[in-house]
Amino acid sequence: MKAPPFAYVRPATLDDVLAELAGGDAKVLAGGQSLVPVLAMRLGRPATLVDITAVPELGDLENTAGGLRVGAAVRQRTVERSAQARGVPLIRMAMPFVGHRELRSRGTVVGSLAHADPAAELPAVASCLDAMIEIAGPAGRRTVPAGEFFAGAMTTVAGAEDLVVAATFPPARAGEGFGFAEIARRHGDFALAGVATRVRVAADGAVTHARLTGFGVSDRPVTRDVTALLAAHPDEAQLRPETARIAAEVVDTGGDAHGSTGYRRRLLGVLAARELAGALRRARRAEQEVAA
Ligand SMILES: Cc1cc2nc3c(=O)[nH]c(=O)nc-3n(C[C@H](O)[C@H](O)[C@H](O)COP(=O)(O)OP(=O)(O)OC[C@H]3O[C@@H](n4cnc5c(N)ncnc54)[C@H](O)[C@@H]3O)c2cc1C
C-alpha cells in the first residue's frame, strides 16, 4: 500500500517546528523508520509531516553536567559510534540490538523514545538509567524523568502538539556495572523479552544500588529497585527463584504467535538473574580498578 497524501515541511527553527505542530494534525518526522511503515500501512493519516532534521540545535550530541544529552535529530548510529557516548555503557550495550545497522543510520534515539514501542531497547535503557526527557510545546518547556514519560504502548506524556527536544542519559558512576540482554526470534527483531540492569557497589564490594528494567513484557518498560534482593542473593543461581517471582509479577503481555505469557516470564526471570549477576561482577571489577 502507499501512504495517504500528506504535506511535507522542513522548518529550520524550533519555533517553526512548534508552529507546524500546532493544531495536532501534524506528525514529527525524525528518522522515519517507524513512521513511514505506519503511513504505508495506513495506520495513521497525518495532514503534515514535520521533518525536524534541519533544526541545528536538535542535532546536538554533548556531554553536560547531567550526562549525555542527545538532541532529537541525532541518529542512533551517531551515538553508537561516538566517543562522547563512552560514558554511558548501557546505551552502547543496547544499541547493536536496535534493528539493523541500516535502520540505525536513519533512526534517531529520541524518535525511538517518542515512538514508545514496549519491546524497544532504548526506552528500556532510558528507564533503567532514569534519563531526563525534555519536551517543548504550546505550554512551554518541561523535563520529565523516563519513569514518568512512558504512559502505555506507543504512548507517552508528550501531546500531539509537543516536540521531544532531547534526552539526557546519566553517565556511569564509580563502582557501577551494567547488563543488557534480550531474546528475539532473529537478530534485529523486536525483543520477545529483554532486560537492562544497573548495579553500584561500595569500596568493599557491597551492593548499594541495583535496578532492573524489563521490556517486551508489558505495555511499557517496567523498572524495579532490586538492591536488597541482589545484596542478599549475589549469585546467579540464588537469584533465579527471586527473579522468577518478579517476572511472574511484572510480565503481563498476552501470548501471541511468537511466545506465550509463561514463556516470556521464563525468559525475563532467566535473563534478569544473569544480567544482575553480570552487572555486579562488572561493578566490582570497576571498583577494584578505581582502588588500584
Ligand atoms: C524492520 C524494522 C525493524 C526494527 N527493529 C527495531 C528494534 O529491534 N528495536 C527498536 O527499538 N526499534 C526497531 N525499529 C524501529 C526503529 O529503530 C526506529 O528508528 C525507531 O523506533 C523510531 O525512530 P525514528 O527516528 O525512525 O522515528 P520516526 O519513525 O520518524 O518517528 C516515530 C514516531 O515518533 C514520533 N516522533 C519522532 N521523533 C519525535 C520527537 N522528537 N518528538 C515527538 N515525536 C516524535 C513520530 O511522529 C512518530 O510517531 C525497527 C524498524 C524497522 C523498519
Side-chain angles (χ1 to χ4, degrees):
M1 264 199 289
K2 284 185 182 164
F6 54 81
Y8 170 84
V9 291
R10 192 165 182 252
T13 69
L14 191 55
D15 285 346
D16 288 345
V17 168
L18 295 177
E20 293 289 352
L21 292 174
D25 202 16
K27 273 268 175 202
V28 173
L29 175 68
Q33 299 305 296
S34 295
L35 182 57
V36 172
V38 163
L39 297 180
M41 288 185 276
R42 302 217 166 192
L43 297 173
R45 289 179 169 271
T48 307
L49 297 193
V50 185
D51 186 336
I52 58 170
T53 56
V55 181
E57 69 174 276
L58 299 181
D60 290 343
L61 175 66
E62 53 190 344
N63 275 308
T64 65
L68 181 71
R69 184 175 181 277
V70 186
V74 177
R75 314 274 185 200
Q76 293 155 2
R77 187 87 178 126
T78 304
V79 173
E80 188 176 3
R81 301 180 69 178
S82 82
Q84 284 123 304
R86 289 210 184 108
V88 189
L90 192 53
I91 210 171
R92 290 169 66 92
M93 291 167 100
M95 202 61 98
F97 293 96
V98 181
H100 304 279
R101 195 173 54 191
E102 293 76 7
L103 299 169
R104 296 196 296 276
S105 67
R106 299 292 306 174
T108 63
V109 169
V110 170
S112 175
L113 304 183
H115 191 55
D117 190 306
E121 292 80 7
L122 297 175
V125 168
S127 299
C128 189
L129 297 181
D130 228 352
M132 298 303 287
I133 302 181
E134 294 167 48
I135 302 171
R141 284 216 189 199
R142 63 195 197 277
T143 301
V144 294
E148 293 169 21
F149 179 72
F150 301 104
M154 315 303 217
T155 312
T156 72
V157 296
E161 296 180 85
D162 288 336
L163 175 75
V164 183
V165 174
T168 300
F169 297 83
R173 296 202 214 161
E176 279 194 338
F178 301 86
F180 188 92
E182 70 174 42
I183 302 291
R185 290 179 71 215
R186 295 166 302 195
H187 181 81
D189 282 4
F190 283 99
L192 288 173
V195 293
T197 59
R198 177 185 201 181
V199 173
R200 194 179 312 136
V201 297
D204 64 356
V207 176
T208 58
H209 175 87
R211 261 163 97 87
L212 161 70
T213 300
F215 61 100
V217 297
S218 191
D219 68 346
R220 68 195 88 175
V222 190
T223 298
R224 291 283 180 275
D225 186 318
V226 289
T227 309
L229 190 149
L230 186 60
H233 308 284
D235 176 78
E236 182 180 340
Q238 294 173 340
L239 274 167
R240 282 270 182 90
E242 304 299 325
T243 52
R245 187 179 45 73
I246 294 174
E249 204 181 289
V250 303
V251 179
D252 58 15
T253 294
D256 55 26
H258 307 303
S260 63
T261 306
Y263 179 59
R264 286 188 159 94
R265 285 189 176 137
R266 190 159 158 66
L267 288 182
L268 186 71
V270 170
L271 292 179
R274 198 173 81 195
E275 295 309 317
L276 279 171
L280 177 57
R281 272 196 309 278
R282 282 172 217 120
R284 286 183 170 155
R285 208 180 309 135
E287 185 53 42
Q288 280 164 8
E289 280 166 11
V290 171

